[in-house]
Structures are given as C-alpha cells and as structure tokens.
C-alpha cells in the first residue's frame, strides 16, 4: 500500500506546483492592477510547513500500516479538500493567490463557498493537513502539522482581514 500512498502524496505535491503557477500568474495580474502585498513575513514559514507536511507524510508512512477504514475515509476527505480548494481558486479567479495580494477597489467575493464562510480555502488546508497523513496512519505528522498550522493560520487570517479591510469595497 505504501507505493500507492507515495503516489498520492506526489500527486498532492504536483497539485501544489500547479497552485504556484496559478498564483504567479495571478500575482502578475494583481500587481498590474495596483495590487498591494501584505503579510510577507509569514509566507516563507507557510511554504516550509506545507513542504514539510508532504515530506513527513512520506517518511512516517514508511513505518505505519495502512488501515483500510481510516485510510479510505481520509482519502475521500483529501479529495473533498482538493475540490474545495479548486472551487475557491475558480471563484476568486485573478484575486486568488498563495500570497496576500489585494487590488484596491475590488469588491469582496461573496459567491461560491464564500457565501457561507469567510475563508473556505483554510477549511481545505486544515482538512488536508489532517487527512493526508492519516490516509496511511501517519498520525504524528497530522498532529504536528495541525499544531504548527493553527498559529500560522491565525497570523495569515489576520493579515488577510487587514488587507481586505483597507483595500476592498464591501
């Protein structure tokens, strides 16, 4: 089962690269429209934590069994998290980014998952951070990522909220 799990983690890594490609394209668009970046100091920590998540999943899973009832359930959660993430990316369009870049004067997006929750992408991040390791019973990785991610998300959401408040039309 480990080979299959390794493939899943590598697919998630490829998805992250695709996100970065979209993010770079959207950053160019945002800056061309007068976009302003906030929260640069936390961004390298976020990138490092998410990279370490993928590496830790692969390492810890070497020493863990695949438990079908847990693994398949968490696999579904990983798929749902990816779906939610790409729904957010699609709905935000050029405004979506892995960095906090806001174009002054744009309206706050209130459609798609943003109708119900302010930061749905972070629901996907939290779900994936728990579920991806647990697909192959890597519970230490799930716990450590979650504990490190909570304060990072708090900083990130505060940075986003401040940037949105100062630049967007509600």
């Amino acid at each position: 089962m480990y080979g299959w799990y390794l493939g899943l983690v590598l697919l998630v890594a490829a998805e992250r690269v695709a996100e970065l490609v979209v993010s770079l394209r959207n950053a160019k668009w945002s800056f061309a429209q007068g976009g302003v970046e906030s929260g640069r100091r936390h961004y390298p920590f976020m990138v490092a934590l998410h990279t370490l998540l993928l590496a830790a999943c692969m390492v810890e899973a070497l020493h863990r069994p695949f438990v079908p009832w847990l693994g398949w359930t968490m696999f579904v959660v990983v798929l749902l998290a990816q779906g939610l993430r790409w729904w957010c990316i699609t709905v935000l369009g050029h405004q979506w980014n892995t960095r906090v870049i806001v174009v002054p004067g744009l309206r706050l997006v209130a459609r798609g998952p943003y109708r119900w929750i302010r930061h749905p992408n972070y629901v996907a991040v939290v779900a994936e951070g728990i579920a991806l390791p647990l697909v192959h019973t890597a519970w230490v990785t799930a716990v450590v990522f979650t504990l490190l991610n909570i304060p990072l998300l708090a900083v990130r959401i505060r940075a986003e909220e401040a940037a949105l408040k100062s630049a967007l039309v509600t």
Side-chain angles (χ1 to χ4, degrees):
M1 269 327 263
Y2 178 77
W4 175 87
Y5 180 68
L6 179 62
L8 174 64
V9 174
L10 292 174
L11 281 173
V12 171
E15 184 278 331
R16 294 289 170 85
V17 170
E19 280 184 38
L20 291 174
V21 169
V22 171
S23 180
L24 287 171
R25 183 191 70 216
N26 290 346
K28 287 179 186 177
W29 179 88
S30 293
F31 289 134
Q33 307 303 312
V36 177
E37 185 172 5
S38 303
R40 285 188 205 127
R41 289 179 50 191
H42 75 267
Y43 187 72
F45 297 104
M46 191 174 74
V47 171
L49 181 61
H50 284 255
T51 302
L52 289 172
L53 168 67
L54 300 174
C57 282
M58 292 185 286
V59 171
E60 185 180 356
L62 281 169
H63 310 287
R64 303 277 185 220
F66 178 78
V67 178
W69 68 267
L70 178 63
W72 293 119
T73 302
M74 292 300 106
F75 177 70
V76 170
V77 173
V78 169
L79 293 179
L80 291 171
Q82 296 303 323
L84 177 57
R85 173 177 286 121
W86 283 96
W87 188 16
C88 293
I89 291 169
T90 301
V91 166
L92 289 179
H94 289 299
Q95 290 177 265
W96 180 85
N97 208 291
T98 59
R99 293 156 48 195
V100 180
I101 304 171
V102 179
V103 177
L106 292 181
R107 288 207 166 279
L108 188 64
V109 173
R111 62 186 186 283
Y114 295 91
R115 287 181 292 209
W116 304 293
I117 187 167
R118 183 84 167 168
H119 298 279
N121 189 65
Y122 300 132
V123 172
V125 169
V126 169
E128 182 186 75
I130 294 168
L132 183 61
L134 290 180
V135 168
H136 210 286
T137 327
W139 64 270
V140 172
T141 299
V143 168
V144 170
F145 175 82
T146 300
L147 291 175
L148 293 174
N149 195 40
I150 289 169
L152 187 56
L153 276 179
V155 168
R156 174 65 173 219
I157 289 171
R158 277 195 303 272
E160 282 188 15
E161 287 297 321
L164 291 170
K165 185 177 180 181
S166 70
L168 293 182
V169 175
T170 54

